[in-house]
Amino acid sequence: MLTSAFVLAASQLTSSAALAEQALPESYFSYEAVYQFQESITTCQRYQDCRVVLSEYALLNSDIMSYDQARINMFHEVDVIDGDGERVVQTVYALKTFRVPDYGLPKHTIVNTEHTFPRSLLKRGRDYRKSQADLMHLFPAVSTVNSKRGSRPFGDCEGNGDEWKVCGNGFEPPHVHKGTIARAMFYVSVAYDLPIDTKQEETLRSWSRQYPVTNAERVRAHRVYQIQGNRNPFVDHPEWIDLIIDF
């Protein structure tokens, strides 16, 4: 059972809608002076092969830290939100909100780190040390739910949209996280040269169209940029997803 020492009551939760509507920081668009990729994008479109260009965009100026440091930064810098004066994080999938300790990490048997692109599959791509610690696809998760997801591919399980659901070998998150998942998966695919199976790719493309980028997703991606130095091209330019024929 989750104790009150870690999880806040429902009345204390910061709503997903409120998070989605948060304002962008004044420094948000400063990256545009560095990320001058339009000419390269125009050229690669002619040849219908933009994976290399988008990989360069994704990893430009990246400084991926150790996995241990990444987890600390996730809980204390990237995903921390206000919850009636408490420092809290909202987990993916279960959408529960947990207090963050002043130092270190929460108890790992209660809340831990979700690799959106499964950790077991990251080893098939390049630079596993970096991909497992890349904050672009790491999110706080209820430990039991994280275990239920495991390495299951994302899919539509005819859930109610408010909760996660497992069906067969698939896993469906709540609607509010579907677009973010899709763009995180596509980022990892181009950054670390990792394929996504055809069925899952079709689902993720649909989710990205159906659930467009919110300010909450932009703010989170910008926090990651400030920590590890790089950006997700599909958050900055979600239309670029269509530049990749086959992830």
Side-chain angles (χ1 to χ4, degrees):
M1 179 179 294
L2 301 180
T3 65
S4 59
F6 289 96
V7 65
L8 299 183
S11 61
Q12 293 177 284
L13 299 184
T14 302
S15 72
S16 298
L19 289 173
E21 295 170 0
Q22 64 183 290
L24 297 176
E26 292 183 5
S27 62
Y28 182 80
F29 292 102
S30 62
Y31 77 90
E32 293 180 340
V34 177
Y35 284 74
Q36 299 290 324
F37 273 76
Q38 195 54 56
E39 184 176 342
S40 296
I41 290 294
T42 300
T43 300
C44 75
Q45 279 181 291
R46 275 193 224 112
Y47 297 98
Q48 297 184 332
D49 185 9
C50 288
R51 179 176 284 273
V52 172
V53 173
L54 291 175
S55 178
E56 290 175 355
Y57 187 110
L59 295 176
L60 181 66
N61 297 326
S62 64
D63 184 15
I64 311 298
M65 63 210 74
S66 70
Y67 180 55
D68 287 344
Q69 187 60 50
R71 288 186 296 160
I72 291 172
N73 283 337
M74 182 188 73
F75 281 106
H76 288 276
E77 301 293 337
V78 176
D79 288 294
V80 68
I81 56 177
D82 291 327
D84 288 350
E86 299 280 357
R87 287 173 55 81
V88 302
V89 293
Q90 187 177 73
T91 59
V92 296
Y93 311 147
L95 304 181
K96 294 183 180 295
T97 301
F98 293 82
R99 293 187 180 96
V100 177
D102 291 337
Y103 303 99
L105 301 172
K107 191 173 181 180
H108 70 90
T109 56
I110 296 177
V111 58
N112 61 13
T113 303
E114 158 71 335
H115 289 76
T116 306
F117 206 112
R119 200 173 182 181
S120 60
L121 302 182
L122 293 175
K123 296 178 181 180
R124 301 178 182 179
R126 61 171 175 250
D127 214 333
Y128 172 69
R129 185 197 70 78
K130 291 183 178 180
S131 64
Q132 70 157 342
D134 195 319
L135 287 164
M136 290 293 184
H137 77 122
L138 305 186
F139 293 89
V142 174
S143 302
T144 53
V145 180
N146 197 357
S147 294
K148 286 286 187 181
R149 192 259 158 147
S151 297
R152 286 184 170 92
F154 293 109
D156 290 312
C157 297
E158 299 183 359
N160 63 17
D162 296 324
E163 299 174 330
W164 59 273
K165 185 176 181 179
V166 172
C167 58
N169 192 40
F171 183 91
E172 181 177 9
H175 291 338
V176 70
H177 195 57
K178 286 180 176 177
T180 302
I181 282 174
R183 290 176 284 273
M185 289 286 288
F186 293 148
Y187 162 86
V188 173
S189 177
V190 299
Y192 299 103
D193 196 22
L194 284 157
I196 299 174
D197 68 89
T198 301
K199 183 178 180 181
Q200 184 176 204
E201 180 181 341
E202 290 175 356
T203 298
L204 296 174
R205 285 183 185 272
S206 175
W207 287 356
S208 188
R209 290 190 297 268
Q210 191 173 357
Y211 303 99
V213 182
T214 64
N215 274 3
E217 186 177 355
R218 293 186 182 96
V219 168
R220 185 186 193 279
H222 192 66
R223 289 178 178 178
V224 174
Y225 168 59
Q226 292 175 315
I227 292 170
Q228 65 180 41
N230 66 316
R231 302 190 66 83
N232 183 340
F234 306 119
V235 173
D236 292 342
H237 300 276
E239 70 278 7
W240 286 357
I241 291 171
D242 293 333
L243 298 179
I244 303 292
I245 297 173
D246 181 5
F247 280 96

